[in-house]
Amino acid sequence: MFTDLYSPLQQLRHARLSQLWIKRDDLIDPYISGNKWRKLKYILEDASTKGKNHLVTFGGAYSNHLVATAAAASRSGLKATAFVRGEQVNNEMLVLCSLYGMELIFTDRETYKDKTACYTAYAEKHADTYFIDEGGASAEAVRGCAEIITELPGDTAHLFCAAGTGTTAAGLLQGIQKAGLTAKLHVIPVLKGGEFIRDEIAQYVPVTDQLVLHTDYHFGGYAKTKPDLLKFIRDFTAAHGILIDPVYTAKLFFAIYDLAEKNYFREGEKIIALHTGGLLGIMGMKDKLI
Ligand SMILES: *Cc1c(COP(=O)(O)O)cnc(C)c1O
């Protein structure tokens, strides 16, 4: 592969939790945001096995997945095209996609809904295309995320991650089951009505009581924030020197801190938070953050 994966496990100081650790997938690469690399790894392998040299994918204008795919494609010598949801816009994320040579096709919301139709029409006119779903959701992505478990200590009691589509969570649960660990997987959906994540996960792996959903930390919905979340981001970053993003990882850490406050954990239990990255977009939210 074009890049060696390195993701340290780092302890976090916390007044109530003596064993709080953070799996720094955010450090894997600045542009291939942590879990997006985990997801793309076997997708790229599959594309290559099938002799496809042109990735075609989907996402919103602030998608970490699009930047990750653009960067990974260019480093692997592949072409990349993205159907971008909504009218033409410009932002720092799309600039990166563009610099990495990704073709951007802005697509109105109605047309975008039928991704298969978008892809089929495009594939008819271009050779050797390879379909990648929005956010990279796929069995290959689940397999890539499951590997994270092999890099974690066997005595982990609680593993936490944020969820958008639930693909990363499905991989973590798969990895936990494969390794026969007793760890609980705690998932923080960043969207409102996060119960749907259970069904998403169940598409890939049998859901057991090892899965715990915490659906009350969405702060109003996807990419929505509240003053206490923004304050949490500032305090956390200043205290630890670790950036977190308002969309995913801030909600994740807020949840852990809140549960600790409510004495959810037993003394000495090993708790690991997966930092999935997602830091590229934060400058686009600067007006909210300061
Ligand atoms: C995309 C993303 C997620 C969500 O992952 P899913 O597999 O869709 O649940 C979480 N964190 C960050 C930083 C992301 O970019």
Side-chain angles (χ1 to χ4, degrees):
M1 275 294 156
F2 56 82
T3 172
D4 284 332
L5 206 76
Y6 179 65
S7 162
L9 188 64
Q10 176 183 344
Q11 190 161 16
L12 271 192
R13 275 174 285 106
H14 188 285
R16 284 168 179 263
L17 306 174
S18 61
Q19 288 293 324
L20 176 60
W21 297 75
I22 170 166
K23 176 68 171 162
R24 300 290 309 270
D25 269 17
D26 57 313
L27 297 179
I28 284 176
D29 186 273
Y31 302 104
I32 310 182
S33 176
N35 68 334
K36 301 305 183 285
W37 161 246
R38 302 278 187 179
K39 290 177 171 194
L40 281 168
K41 184 178 170 193
Y42 290 110
I43 291 176
L44 294 176
E45 192 183 277
D46 188 50
S48 147
T49 306
K50 292 177 173 153
K52 310 292 191 187
N53 62 14
H54 187 164
L55 309 177
V56 180
T57 194
F58 297 82
Y62 276 96
S63 164
N64 291 315
H65 164 69
L66 291 190
V67 181
T69 305
S74 65
R75 292 186 209 174
S76 315
L78 304 172
K79 282 192 233 174
T81 296
F83 286 85
V84 186
R85 185 179 58 240
E87 74 274 19
Q88 182 154 1
V89 288
N90 196 0
N91 65 42
E92 63 276 20
M93 307 288 276
L94 295 174
V95 167
L96 287 167
C97 289
S98 197
L99 285 171
Y100 279 120
M102 181 178 249
E103 175 192 23
L104 301 175
I105 303 175
F106 292 93
T107 309
D108 67 80
R109 280 156 206 277
E110 207 43 47
T111 311
Y112 184 92
K113 276 186 194 155
D114 193 347
K115 294 188 210 108
T116 312
C118 293
Y119 175 75
T120 309
Y122 188 84
E124 272 168 16
K125 297 198 189 95
H126 299 84
D128 298 325
T129 55
Y130 183 91
F131 173 86
I132 304 177
D133 208 342
E134 191 173 288
S138 61
E140 288 77 21
V142 170
R143 197 177 142 211
C145 292
E147 281 185 358
I148 296 169
I149 301 299
T150 65
E151 301 169 23
L152 298 181
D155 63 346
T156 303
H158 305 281
L159 173 60
F160 278 81
C161 76
T165 65
T167 314
T168 303
L172 295 174
L173 190 60
Q174 187 181 77
I176 285 174
Q177 292 176 356
K178 245 168 111 178
L181 301 185
T182 54
K184 296 257 190 227
L185 175 66
H186 299 266
V187 177
I188 316 300
V190 301
L191 292 89
K192 220 189 262 180
E195 272 299 327
F196 78 93
I197 291 286
R198 195 179 295 279
D199 298 332
E200 295 299 316
I201 295 175
Q203 287 182 26
Y204 297 105
V205 12
V207 169
T208 62
D209 62 4
Q210 273 179 291
L211 174 69
V212 186
L213 285 185
H214 301 272
T215 53
D216 293 334
Y217 296 104
H218 56 73
F219 289 87
Y222 184 77
K224 297 275 181 0
T225 60
K226 297 214 162 123
D228 52 345
L229 184 69
L230 299 174
K231 179 178 184 321
F232 179 81
I233 293 175
R234 289 193 296 269
D235 292 348
F236 182 94
T237 305
H240 300 292
I242 297 172
L243 289 166
I244 50 178
D245 79 295
V247 181
Y248 294 104
T249 47
K251 294 179 183 180
L252 163 73
F253 283 102
F254 189 99
I256 296 171
Y257 276 54
D258 190 54
L259 290 168
E261 210 53 47
K262 293 172 174 157
N263 292 316
Y264 184 87
F265 306 104
R266 275 194 295 241
E267 173 50 36
E269 284 184 318
K270 189 165 284 174
I271 304 160
I272 298 187
L274 176 65
H275 194 319
T276 38
L279 299 170
L280 283 176
I282 66 174
M283 285 308 154
M285 299 181 90
K286 63 182 182 306
D287 297 340
K288 281 186 172 178
L289 286 167
I290 50 164

